Amino acid sequence: MTPAVRFQKVSRHFGQVRAVDRVDLEIAPGEFFAMLGPSGSGKTTCLRLIAGFEQPTDGHIEIFGETAGGVPPYRRNVNTVFQDYALFPHLNVVDNVAYGLMVKGIDKTERTKAAEQALELVKLPGYGTRRPAQLSGGQRQRVALARALVNKPKVLLLDEPLGALDLKLREQMQEELKSLQRALGITFVFVTHDQGEALSMADRVAVFNNGGIVQEGTPQDIYRRPKTRFVADFVGSSNVIAPDLMTLLGGEKRWASLRPEAIQLSGNGVEAKIENTSFLGAATRLTVDIKGARLHVTLPAGTHVPTVGATVRLLWQPADVHYMDDAA
Ligand code: ATP
């Protein structure tokens, strides 16, 4: 199958800065693809290269099998939802959404109808005559989404679109975006530095660092089998264990990751001391000192929680220890 987006050894350098450095990438049609990484790792530049707002310094980009080089943004069948939404403050909601169709020369009746349909899609019918300033942050986000969808793009690029929303709204929008993507079958490419967001929404995740992709895989792969220490650290919640401690614990002298939920309290395990306990609702998170290092342990709700200062024994299955490369 022809990929929706293909990068072959794509670089974008700004003087000495290697914003994107020899990236190979294939995004399948209809896929929800997340680009995850810390600030400055090159995600947004990759998105802008797909959109056509940036040109590669080197390498080759294809969109649905067509060479993207020399094709201007408005002819790429790709639309972007920007982090700040970039709505026109002086236009009402319908005119904001219909703007792209107006530029394409579509007559007013037809474009208004299409805009109203797009507003229904993002659950914002009846808001057409308001100005952006009369909307909440979440509603503005939906208008920005409708404005991109009205053009029926084959690829929708989303640059941290939920960054400005509060946690509850963000979680709601995550679910809505996912079901919208499923219903429309459009390829979504989503940029975020929030690992929870990437893991919960994407079919596949690319983890970026220093202008390159360090690991690519399903959310389960990335979470369970981080390839490098950087990925394990960045994707979060896992315990990253240094080689020296691994040897003390009877393992190989290599960097390893061990998920907090894979550790159990058990009579014949390794001795550790409870330093802190945090009640999280569905689970309790323990911070323990084990041979001078700090590990996290997650206990499911209903399990007995030892008191701070208590000595416990920790046990895990050797198969739950995942060895990694040290390279960042
Ligand atoms: P963030 O999450 O903060 O948006 P990012 O991963 O999207 O980060 P990019 O915006 O792609 O990162 O930037 C990658 C690197 O390229 C950064 O070091 C940035 O300063 C640099 N960069 C991006 N655009 C330009 C530009 N127009 N001129 C010079 N340097 C740039």
Side-chain angles (χ1 to χ4, degrees):
M1 196 168 16
T2 312
V5 178
R6 172 186 275 154
F7 274 31
Q8 287 172 315
K9 301 262 171 298
V10 171
S11 296
R12 177 64 171 109
H13 297 170
F14 298 100
Q16 297 297 310
V17 181
R18 296 167 176 239
V20 173
D21 203 31
R22 283 167 295 156
V23 165
D24 286 312
L25 183 66
E26 280 195 10
I27 302 174
E31 194 166 41
F32 198 129
F33 191 86
M35 294 179 174
L36 172 69
S39 182
S41 57
K43 314 170 303 278
T44 300
T45 306
C46 274
L47 210 68
R48 293 172 58 80
L49 285 162
I50 301 172
F53 301 131
E54 292 288 352
Q55 299 303 321
T57 321
D58 207 357
H60 181 75
I61 299 175
E62 283 174 20
I63 297 171
F64 282 96
E66 284 177 28
T67 299
V71 181
Y74 61 90
R75 294 207 24 238
R76 285 197 180 194
N77 225 334
V78 166
N79 274 96
T80 308
V81 179
F82 296 98
Q83 180 167 20
D84 59 4
Y85 314 146
L87 300 177
F88 300 117
H90 58 289
L91 296 183
N92 69 21
V93 166
V94 164
D95 290 341
N96 258 290
V97 175
Y99 186 80
L101 300 179
M102 185 190 77
V103 173
K104 283 184 191 155
I106 294 180
D107 78 67
K108 191 163 171 91
T109 325
E110 201 178 324
R111 68 179 191 250
T112 304
K113 194 169 150 224
E116 276 160 3
Q117 280 171 354
L119 285 167
E120 246 167 72
L121 215 51
V122 299
K123 304 198 177 140
L124 215 57
Y127 283 79
T129 55
R130 292 210 199 175
R131 301 267 165 124
Q134 296 167 312
L135 300 173
S136 71
Q139 289 165 341
R140 277 201 285 274
Q141 206 280 334
R142 286 164 199 265
V143 176
L145 195 58
R147 190 175 60 171
L149 291 173
V150 80
N151 299 306
K152 300 200 164 36
K154 284 168 104 174
V155 181
L156 187 68
L157 307 176
L158 303 115
D159 191 359
E160 305 247 9
L162 309 182
L165 307 181
D166 66 51
L167 180 65
K168 190 144 193 323
L169 199 53
R170 202 155 68 216
E171 285 174 352
Q172 185 190 339
M173 281 308 293
Q174 285 173 11
E175 283 177 26
E176 284 187 24
L177 273 182
K178 183 76 197 137
S179 57
L180 195 62
Q181 190 264 346
R182 229 180 276 128
L184 298 173
I186 297 175
T187 309
F188 274 30
V189 184
F190 190 96
V191 161
T192 181
H193 60 257
D194 180 328
Q195 50 100 4
E197 202 159 277
L199 297 185
S200 66
M201 282 196 292
D203 299 315
R204 226 144 46 85
V205 179
V207 183
F208 279 72
N209 193 25
N210 295 328
I213 295 177
V214 242
Q215 187 169 0
E216 206 183 305
T218 62
Q220 291 81 356
D221 276 343
I222 305 275
Y223 180 70
R224 296 220 178 96
R225 289 180 289 279
K227 264 194 198 153
T228 68
R229 220 174 109 195
F230 169 81
V231 176
D233 267 332
F234 189 74
V235 170
S237 50
S238 211
N239 289 302
V240 175
I241 305 177
D244 286 348
L245 179 60
M246 266 329 288
T247 333
L248 287 178
L249 297 175
E252 294 175 34
K253 194 181 168 67
R254 289 171 63 193
W255 284 94
S257 75
L258 178 61
R259 284 172 294 122
E261 67 273 22
I263 304 176
Q264 283 149 17
L265 300 187
S266 163
N268 45 14
V270 187
E271 202 172 278
K273 195 170 160 197
I274 306 288
E275 291 206 324
N276 191 39
T277 65
S278 313
F279 177 64
L280 305 176
T284 301
R285 190 167 118 122
L286 311 179
T287 307
V288 304
D289 179 303
I290 183 164
K291 299 190 187 295
R294 213 147 269 136
L295 292 190
H296 289 300
V297 177
T298 316
L299 299 178
T303 319
H304 167 72
V305 178
T307 50
V308 172
T311 299
V312 294
R313 287 180 175 274
L314 305 180
L315 193 69
W316 54 87
Q317 300 300 317
D320 285 322
V321 175
H322 171 75
Y323 288 100
M324 308 177 292
D325 295 333
D326 186 16

